[in-house]
Amino acid sequence: MKSISRPVSILRILGCTALFVLAACSPKEDRRVSGRLVLEYWEKWTGFERDAMARVVDDFNDSQDRIFVRFLSVSRIDQKMMLATAGGVPPDVAGLWAINLPSYAENNALMPMDRLVRDSGIREEDYLPVFWKLCRYRNFLWALPSTPSVTALHWNKKMFREAGLDPEQPPRTIAELESFNEKLTRKNADGSLAQIGHMPQEPGWWMHDFPSWFGGASWDGGTQLLLDAAPNRHFFAWLESYPKRFGGPAMYQLRGAFGNFASPDNPFFNGKVGMIMQGVWMNNFIKNYAPAGFEYGVAAFPEETEHPGAPMTVAETDILVIPAGAHHPKEAMEFIAFVERQKNMENLCLGQRKISPLRRVSSEFVKNHSHPYLRTFLQLANSPRAQPTLALPTFKEYANDLTTYVNLVLLGRMPAEQARGEMLGRQQKALDAKLSRWNQVAPVRVSRWEAEIQP
Amino acid sequence: MMPGEHRNLIKGLVFISPWIVGFLAFNLYPLIASIWFSLCDYSVLSQPVFLGVQNYVDLWHDPVFWKALRNTVVFALVAIPLSSFLSIGLAVLLNQPIAGQGIYRTIFFLPSLVPAISLAILWQWMLNGPMGLVNNLVRPFLNIINAVCGSHLQAPDWLNDPNFALGGLILTGLWGTGQAVVIYLAGLQEIPLELYEAAELDGTSAWQRFLHVTLPMLSPVIFFNVLMSIIGALQTFAVPYILTGGGDGPGRSLLFLATYIYQNAFDYWNMGYASALALCLFVLIIALSLVSVRYGEKKVHYSGR
């Protein structure tokens, strides 16, 4: 056998390494399976929610022989999408949350979908207005809704009965909510709380949207945060009333004994909290974890001022987007359009036990849906007073700061006015910085996006 | 250079090249890049825009940065001495020739094998205010104090009370002292027995032998452990991040510099600002390490010198 000298073998190893590196860095070619173009689709869902979408993906793959969608469940998808897009290897389709849109759009990480959507025959009129609104930002359409949600008051009927309240009559105003709260709250002999009627931090997922129930918003949609406006002042004052009435540490002590959300120790199921704000998915957890015979009601969350007629709610939605730099936007749109068809969308939303974002809902959907209060949620989503959730370019900073200040107020460690003032100072500065960055790039970006969406 | 030496040099370089490539790609380049990004407005997805020292000016006026820095430094100042005293004490005890010595050593070392994430989840329950194990241990003592003094002391709500959250985290940190104990044990076994025998002949007590033999002879190991602890404490991230569910803790009492860097980089997409924060942390670690090394040169006793 011919021997190879050491320098030559070392050179060969180096050469192979260089080739490997070059191959890894070479432009990505279309991937095909049995002649079908492979589309990468990243989604955030796991468990039964993932399974529901997997069935729709399978239906799409079976419906034609040109495209094959490869469905991948990805945790912390908002961060991974950002890194993949920055690295130039984004998926072809991704499932984000509507609150991600402003930051992704302003950073040029998404493809405007106006033209693609128009060409696929999808119309604004097909959707409930609030969900369509959530997919638009700065006059462009960046996404289409997948599974949406609206929030509503959920109350424990047994606790209402025990407190001498009519279990069929939920509170209609914040004042009424607090009067019910007093009646539902019980204390132990040592003064600690045994149960409470309502506490804003349970579950506290929509703190940023609470000002809507006080008749306002937190942002004017442009350059100004509205934390100085009356609705926000009232919201913070309402928060401040809690430690004064129930004791801040006592509330947190009670909260410390709460079990996991997805467990029989969920405080709503085991009678520790009588009224909560929740979404349409809650029924699924009630079926799985609440005690047998658990009785609950669902209605619009009470507002500061009663508005007879159309109820108020805040809506949010999961969305499907095409990342900037995706290699097959037309095919990606074909898949998204398939998901958006009424039959497929209803299959997805039924599988995830949610409502449909579409205006038209089939009788089968209503019949087959297991939620006893589906009509209440549909009514809320259809309401002209349904408002989109806060979609701020600095959403994460805002939400994080708000959690900190709200907790300080609820603990009774900071006056509401100080918390609101500090929050406004910090967050207006953060928003100004983001807008200043946006203003520098806006003319170029907007003109390019406009060119992209031309017919 | 002789031909043989030249060949050896090439071979050496080739064998070390994976490390050199790794160092250049994953250490030096990120360091230089982050210096540049710290002078820019950079969101990762868009091109960086040069800002000069604006990020540093913002940082100077950012109360959250100072809060995170304060938490980090206070944690280091309390946790490092506490864990050092505890681990030296445990190592000395575990070094005593008693039956079942190996079993005791294993018992104390085992907890340090628990991964940080599992540790944090475990301590979330241990530190739970109304139901946690820690408060179940604390309550009987408080009841006695209350009965004797007529006070109304209550067990702390560790993770919800800004006054106790950092204390809770320090308690969590003590769980992992087993690793340092093992290193101290190795150091203790290196101390020549003749020194103890000589000290005993001089009529010293056990405490004097510990003070004048054990500690000086162990000082290089103490120095190493303390230096590693300083670097580790300043980089604290995983446990408070999990304990607070990815947040800052009550009143930002569990916000550390590393967490604030992570939030700015990956949650808020302020990579420029995050780079400025990271460089501050880097400078802090370098400065404290240099101070420690200088101090070590004077106080650490190396028996070989």
Side-chain angles (χ1 to χ4, degrees), chain A residues 128-131 148-150 311 313 315 355-357 375-384 386:
Chain A
L128 293 174
V130 72
F131 299 123
S149 168
V150 286
T313 188
I355 54 171
S356 167
R375 284 183 195 282
T376 308
F377 281 103
L378 289 175
Q379 190 198 359
L380 285 168
N382 276 281
S383 170

Side-chain angles (χ1 to χ4, degrees), chain A residues 79 107 256 400-401 413 437, chain B residues 41 43 128 161 252 267-268:
Chain A
Q79 288 183 359
N107 280 289
N400 201 12
D401 244 21
R413 289 189 178 261
R437 179 195 289 171
Chain B
D41 179 8
S43 72
N128 184 289
D161 189 331
R252 292 207 172 92
D267 285 342
Y268 312 156

